[in-house]
Every structure is written in structure tokens, then in C-alpha cells.
Amino acid sequence: MPQDTAFTLPFGAVTSPDADAARHRSLHWCRRQRLVEDPVDELRLLHWDFAGLMAGWNPRAGGEQLDLTVDAVVVAALLNDHIDDHVHGPLAGPLPDRPDRIAALCAELGAVIATAGRPPAAAGPLVRAFADVWRRLADGASPGWLEHTGQHWQWYLGAHLQEARHRARHHAHHPARRRVPTRAEYAELRRRSGPVPAMIDLSQKAYGFELPRRLATDVVVRRMLDLTADVVGALGDVHSVERDESRGDLHNLVPVIEHELNCGRVEALQEIQSMITSWCEEFLLLETRLPDTVGHRDAPAARRIADCLRTAMSGYLEWSRTTRYHSLLVPAGDPAPATDHLGLDRG
């Protein structure tokens, strides 16, 4: 099974001692936000263990700082779940091939960013939960940093809409026309559309610092950020490939490599293992160059962001190899998710 695929990263894994308490606090927050209203949904959320993910991603964070990162990732994951799989409750129908519904949802989430955390009047629980997250992100943040992380969230939303439109245009009635992206196309889409940029912003918020814009655009730091997104994305793709295949999603590195090399699953996984090793080696080499490239004034912030990137990769690997999030959405014998998170117009 791909989730059993062994990876070794040259970064030691550490977990926040507040992880267990954060799990309970996250569940209470989800209840307050009406993101879980059913025992089955509560159990599923605990099995996904986003508190464990962010406790490894930000091992020196705790309390409210850690909680904010967990709650933000819960919202992003539930958004991804509803868009990529199916919706139950009052919507009672498939969402993946309805770009109009997805556009409406993304517009509501984007409006939260544009209005400093005020959800639309008729918004469902997921949008209202994001508004709560956004207000906490904005608290004490500089306008420049908030604009930067807002752009990262908008990328994430825009990618969902782009993929929905692609599915509706090519997949629904013409499955034979589905095209596997090239490795270069995939990498560009993954870096911009994945949650990693916003999650690195969450690390900065958790640790109480902001990466200066001049550092965020520095060629070495930018490459280290891209490498982190590549490693995290590849690990997630390998561990979730069976889930992605079950819903016909070709935006996964495993089928991309299989198609490009005209090879089987084992060979593709070996190639990805080699890619991850190469990316980590490059990351370590670039890290040694940071003092010479960023200058004395920016050296402390550069060291802090490099540390965040290291723990992002190691923390993600520890979570990704065990979480049930990479399993099929509804395991055999489990009831379907009961909570309606969206509350979209049914018309």
C-alpha cells in the first residue's frame, strides 16, 4: 500500500508537548463552529488528526498559537474534502463536477479575506469557521504580511475552481479525454495550488515573526520554499494515491511519473523516492548559503524560516504515513459524513 512506502528525510522529527491537549481543543472548536455535529464525523476528524500534523509542523508552538494553525488546516481540509469528493445533507448531490457551486463557495471564502473576516450573511458553517480563523490571523499582523498570506489562500481557492472547471469540461462526459499533466506542469500547479505556502505563513504566526517581503522573494529562500512544497506534495501524493485514483483525480505525482516514464507503480515510487532525496540534498546545500546571500540584517529571519521549513517536511512525513485522511473518504462500513458544512444556495 502506498501509505506504507518508506521515506527517510535528513531532518529529525519533533512534536509539540501540547499535541494531545490541542486535539481536544480542536474538537471543541469544531463543535462550536458546527463543523462536526455527529459522532461519526467527530471520530473521522480525530482519525485525520490535524492537531498531530500541526504539532509536528510547529513543534515549538502551543496553546492559542498552535490552535490557530490546527483550525486553519481543518478548514482547508474540509474544503478540499467537499470539493473533491461529495456532499451529503441538504445539498444531497455531487459537487466535484459543479463549477458553479464551487465558484460560489470560493467567492464566499474570498469575501471573508476581502472584508477582514466578515462572512456573508447566508454563509454556511465552513465559511463562518474560516472567518473566525481569518480574524485570528489578522490580529496583530502587518498589512503587508496579511496581504501576502491572503494571496496564498486565494491561490488555494483558485486552484480548486480551476480543477473543477477542467473536470466539468473534459471528465464528466468525455472521460477518455482526460490528460495526465507533465512533470513540469504538475510541479507548477502544486506549488501554487497546494496548502503549503499558507501553512508556512501559519508557522510564522505561531512563532510570532513575519518573513520580510525582500526575503520571501530572495532567490535562495524562494527555492527553499519551493523545495519544501515539492517534498510535502510528493509525500502526500504517494500516501493518498489510492484515494485520488478512486475519484478519478489525475493531479497526483504518482500517475504523472508512471505516464512520463511508461512504468509501473513500483518504479514510479522509486523515482519519487529519488526525487525527494535530491530535493532534500539541495535544500541542505542552500541552507549553508543563506548567511552569504541574505545579509546580516536578515540572517535571524532566514534562520527561523529555514527551521520552519525543516519541521514542515519532517512533521508532515510523520503525520502522512499514519493519518486516515489519505484513506478513502468513507471507509467500508462507515456511514457517510452527516454534517452539511456549506449551506450553499440550493437553487
Side-chain angles (χ1 to χ4, degrees):
M1 179 177 178
Q3 201 163 1
D4 295 331
T5 303
F7 293 98
T8 301
L9 302 183
F11 317 115
V14 186
T15 299
S16 169
D18 199 28
D20 285 337
R23 290 183 176 97
H24 293 289
R25 295 194 300 266
S26 175
L27 185 57
H28 289 312
W29 180 81
C30 289
R31 289 170 177 156
R32 292 197 305 273
Q33 299 295 327
R34 293 180 48 228
L35 295 177
V36 293
E37 299 180 291
D38 179 273
V40 172
D41 290 352
E42 290 191 8
L43 183 60
R44 185 172 287 112
L45 197 64
L46 288 172
H47 284 163
W48 288 348
D49 194 21
F50 295 121
L53 166 61
M54 299 315 289
W57 191 284
N58 302 304
R60 283 169 289 285
E64 294 180 357
Q65 288 73 31
L66 178 59
D67 291 348
L68 174 55
T69 72
V70 177
D71 298 344
V73 170
V74 166
V75 170
L78 290 176
L79 169 67
N80 183 69
D81 240 27
H82 277 284
I83 287 179
D84 282 348
D85 291 286
H86 51 86
V87 179
H88 300 265
L91 283 178
L95 197 64
D97 298 321
R98 290 296 306 275
D100 56 335
R101 294 281 181 90
I102 295 174
L105 175 60
C106 290
E108 288 191 354
L109 291 163
V112 168
I113 297 173
T115 60
R118 293 191 298 275
L126 186 64
V127 175
R128 292 186 175 279
F130 180 61
D132 179 80
V133 165
W134 189 257
R135 289 190 295 268
R136 291 151 66 193
L137 277 173
D139 184 25
S142 70
W145 183 89
L146 200 60
E147 178 184 4
H148 194 57
T149 196
Q151 182 184 50
H152 290 158
W153 281 95
Q154 292 284 16
W155 286 355
Y156 185 64
L157 297 176
H160 282 302
L161 182 55
Q162 177 184 346
E163 290 183 7
R165 287 171 173 162
H166 178 78
R167 278 195 300 262
R169 190 165 54 245
H170 298 294
H171 295 195
H173 305 297
H174 303 283
R177 293 172 57 186
R178 291 183 298 175
R179 186 178 72 85
V180 179
T182 67
R183 192 184 305 206
E185 289 171 338
Y186 167 85
E188 179 61 25
L189 177 66
R190 201 68 157 92
R191 288 172 185 169
R192 283 183 60 88
S193 67
V196 173
M199 290 172 69
I200 297 301
D201 297 338
L202 293 174
S203 296
Q204 296 171 49
K205 188 70 177 179
Y207 291 140
F209 79 101
E210 296 182 359
L211 188 67
R213 179 59 65 93
R214 61 183 176 274
L215 266 187
T217 57
D218 175 85
V219 63
V220 173
V221 175
R222 183 70 259 162
R223 179 59 180 164
M224 293 173 71
L225 288 164
D226 284 345
L227 288 167
T228 301
D230 290 344
V231 169
V232 170
L235 291 171
D237 278 0
V238 168
H239 291 156
S240 67
V241 64
E242 291 176 339
R243 171 179 168 165
D244 289 348
E245 288 176 329
S246 73
R247 63 192 188 206
D249 187 357
L250 298 179
H251 291 87
N252 183 297
L253 186 58
V254 178
V256 166
I257 297 300
E258 289 175 342
H259 181 76
E260 178 181 296
L261 301 183
N262 190 26
C263 66
R265 180 60 44 92
V266 172
E267 293 81 4
L269 294 178
Q270 291 172 342
E271 173 68 11
I272 293 172
Q273 287 174 316
S274 177
M275 292 163 63
I276 290 175
T277 297
S278 177
W279 290 332
C280 290
E281 290 173 350
E282 183 182 355
F283 181 95
L284 292 174
L285 178 61
L286 292 175
E287 190 175 10
T288 65
R289 293 173 49 190
L290 275 180
D292 297 326
T293 61
V294 302
H296 178 74
R297 178 177 61 163
D298 289 329
R303 286 194 295 270
R304 295 187 81 171
I305 199 64
D307 178 68
C308 289
L309 300 179
R310 282 169 160 267
T311 58
M313 289 184 276
S314 61
Y316 186 86
L317 174 58
E318 291 304 304
W319 171 82
S320 185
R321 60 173 35 133
T322 59
T323 179
R324 285 282 294 274
Y325 184 68
H326 292 322
S327 305
L328 298 181
L329 178 62
V330 182
D334 281 7
T339 306
D340 170 27
H341 300 131
L342 305 183
L344 293 174
D345 180 10
R346 314 304 193 253

